[in-house]
Amino acid sequence: MAYNFLPCDRNQAYLLPPSLSDWLPQGHLAWFVLDAVEQIDLWPFYERYRTDGVGNSAFNPSLMVGLLLYAYCTGDRSSRRIERFCQSDVAYKVITANQSPDHCTISRFRKDNEAHLKRLFLDVLRLCAEAGLVRLGKVSLDGTKVQANASLAANRTLKHLDREVEQMLAEAAARDAEEDKTFGPDNRGDELPDDLRDRNSRLNRLKACQERLERQKPDAHQAQQDKLDQRQAREEATGKKARGRKPKLPDEAENKEAKANVTDPDSRIMKTRKGYVQGLNAQVAVTEDQVIVAEDVTQQENDKQQLHPMLMQAEANRRGVGVQDKMGVVLADAGYSSDENFTTPPAGGVELLVATQKDWKQRKAMRDQPRPEGPIPTCLSATERMERQLLTQRGRELYKLRSQTVEPVFGQIKDVRGFDRFMRRGIDACRSEWSLICATHNLLKLWRSRKTGWN
C-alpha cells in the first residue's frame, strides 16, 4: 500500500499562483489598504521626483505609502523588519507587487515625507466619513504618555551640560593644537574633529539642551507669577479663598535641578502610573465608535492646556472632511479640568463635561452623592458648576461613555499593535509617526466596519 499524501515538490516551477490576485483572499487587509490608497490624492508625494525620466528608477510613492500603511496596521514599524517581510511575507509581496525596497529606502521615504504622511490622517478620516463612521454626537478626549526614543539616564542638568560642553570644546582645541603641530597650519590642521563637525553631533545636542534650560528660567518665573496673580484675582472677584494649594513664590518655585535629554532634547520626563518615563504626551479625540477625529503630540505633561487646541483641531477636521453633523458633547477626565478651560468658549460651541477630580473619586461621587435639585446657585464657580452638572442623571450617564470610548483606543494602539515607544526623535518626527498610527487605527476601523463594500 502507498501513502495518500498531497505532493510536496519544492522544485515545482510555480509554488505560488502566477497572478498576485490569487495569492490572498479578497477580504484580506492588504487588498483593502491598496483600495484605500487608490482613493487618496497622493500628488504631494510625487512633487519631489523628477518628471523628465532622468536618473535611477525610484519606487512608486503609492507603493511606499501602501507599504507603510499596511506595516503600521499590523504593528510593524521597524524599517529592517518591514524589509524582511517584503522578502518573505505573501501579504507584503502583494503590497509591493513582489518588489523589495530595502530598509534605507523605507526609512528615507518616511523621513523625507513627514508632513505628507501626517496629512494622511485627514485623508483616511475622510474615507471614514464617506462610509458614515464619523458620528460626532459624543466625543471623548484623553492623552497618554508614550516613551521617547531616549533614556531617562541621558538627562543632564544645566550645570552638568556646561561642564560637558566646556570639556568637549577643550578637547577640540587641544586636538587642533596637536594637528597644527603635526601637519602645520596650512595643511588643514585647524579643522574641527569629525565628531564635532556633524550638525547632529553630541555637541550640538548638548548646546540645544543648554539653550532650552536657559530659556525656561524666565518663562518659569513669569508662569509662576501669573498663577499667583490669577489666584488673587479669583479670590477678589468671588470673595472666597481659592481651593487647592497656594502656588509657591516665583523664586521658591524655580527648579535649579531642571534637566534636558541629550539623546532627544525635544522629549520630556513624564510621570505615569508605573513611574517616570522619558517621553511625550500623545493626545486623541475619539467618537462613540472609537474613530479618532483629532490627534497631536505635545511636550507638556499636563493635559489642561490641550483641551481647547484639540477641540479646535477636531472642529477643523470635521469641516475639512465634510461632516455636516456638529460635535454635541465632549467628555474628558480631570486632567483637563480648570476654571479657565470651563470659562473659555469651546470651538464649535460644544458642551463640555469634564471631571473635576481623579477618576476613582469622580466615580465614587457619582455613585454615593445624591442628584442635585432646584435652580443652579449663581455664586458657584465654573468648576463647581461642572461638578453639579456631572452629578445630574444626564451627566452620570454621559460621563460613563468616556472610559468606554477613548481608553480602549489606547489599548488597541499600545497593547494590541505594540506602539509603546516612538521610533524616531524630535517633536516633528514623533508627530508624523503618531499621525500615521492614528490614521491606521481609523483604517482598521473602516476595514472592520463592513460598510464600504470593499471587504
Side-chain angles (χ1 to χ4, degrees), residues 167-192:
Q167 180 181 350
M168 292 187 71
L169 292 177
E171 290 174 357
R175 193 182 302 186
D176 285 344
E178 183 181 349
E179 290 177 351
D180 283 344
K181 183 178 180 180
T182 303
F183 304 108
D186 298 328
N187 294 323
R188 301 181 62 81
D190 60 342
E191 285 186 338
L192 284 173

Side-chain angles (χ1 to χ4, degrees), residues 98-272:
N98 211 14
Q99 301 177 71
S100 298
D102 60 27
H103 66 273
C104 291
T105 301
I106 297 167
S107 179
R108 188 164 50 245
F109 182 86
R110 185 165 49 189
K111 180 180 178 180
D112 292 343
N113 294 280
E114 276 181 6
H116 304 327
L117 290 172
K118 183 171 176 59
R119 283 196 288 270
L120 282 179
F121 171 77
L122 203 60
D123 293 323
V124 174
L125 184 61
R126 183 176 293 107
L127 296 180
C128 292
E130 292 172 355
L133 289 184
V134 184
R135 300 186 301 166
L136 295 173
K138 304 174 186 69
V139 174
S140 298
L141 178 62
D142 204 358
T144 185
K145 309 301 190 300
V146 180
Q147 188 175 351
N149 190 1
S151 169
L152 274 172
N155 284 288
R156 302 288 185 271
T157 62
L158 183 57
K159 182 179 180 180
H160 190 286
L161 288 169
D162 291 339
R163 186 167 61 248
E164 197 164 347
V165 169
E166 288 176 3
Q167 180 181 350
M168 292 187 71
L169 292 177
E171 290 174 357
R175 193 182 302 186
D176 285 344
E178 183 181 349
E179 290 177 351
D180 283 344
K181 183 178 180 180
T182 303
F183 304 108
D186 298 328
N187 294 323
R188 301 181 62 81
D190 60 342
E191 285 186 338
L192 284 173
D194 291 340
D195 57 342
L196 298 182
R197 263 185 263 136
D198 182 9
R199 293 187 62 188
N200 295 320
S201 68
R202 180 176 178 81
L203 178 60
N204 286 309
R205 283 186 275 121
L206 289 173
K207 288 185 175 180
C209 292
Q210 269 185 315
E211 293 172 359
R212 180 170 75 79
L213 292 179
E214 289 288 358
R215 287 196 307 269
Q216 282 182 344
K217 282 185 175 181
D219 293 343
H221 189 281
Q222 184 60 46
Q224 198 67 18
Q225 186 61 53
D226 291 343
K227 287 182 182 179
L228 288 169
D229 294 342
Q230 291 171 7
R231 182 185 178 95
Q232 183 178 355
R234 287 198 303 269
E235 290 177 346
E236 292 176 354
T238 60
K240 295 190 300 183
K241 186 176 180 180
R243 297 168 55 177
R245 183 183 302 173
K246 184 176 181 179
K248 295 180 179 180
L249 295 174
D251 293 336
E252 296 175 355
E254 182 179 341
N255 186 4
K256 296 182 175 59
E257 295 301 316
K259 297 180 179 181
N261 193 278
V262 297
T263 304
D264 184 359
D266 286 348
S267 64
R268 299 290 185 268
I269 299 175
M270 300 273 179
K271 186 177 181 180
T272 70

Side-chain angles (χ1 to χ4, degrees), residues 140-144 281-285 302-308 310 331-342 352 354-356 402 406 410:
S140 298
L141 178 62
D142 204 358
T144 185
N281 188 352
Q283 299 277 317
V284 293
N302 199 306
D303 290 335
K304 287 183 181 179
Q305 300 179 41
Q306 312 311 316
L307 177 65
H308 291 286
M310 289 296 292
L331 313 171
D333 63 15
Y336 300 87
S337 175
S338 73
D339 273 347
E340 183 179 358
N341 279 345
F342 298 153
L352 295 179
V354 182
T356 57
R402 189 201 68 83
V406 68
F410 289 139

Side-chain angles (χ1 to χ4, degrees), residues 379-420:
C379 61
L380 296 182
S381 67
T383 299
E384 290 169 337
R385 292 172 69 90
M386 184 62 70
E387 286 178 355
R388 193 178 191 278
Q389 186 177 350
L390 285 162
L391 293 177
T392 63
Q393 182 64 31
R394 178 176 177 271
R396 294 169 196 250
E397 293 175 358
L398 284 174
Y399 190 74
K400 287 179 182 178
L401 296 174
R402 189 201 68 83
S403 61
Q404 301 170 15
T405 52
V406 68
E407 291 180 5
V409 169
F410 289 139
Q412 294 158 20
I413 289 175
K414 300 179 80 172
D415 296 331
V416 178
R417 290 201 285 155
F419 181 78
D420 56 358

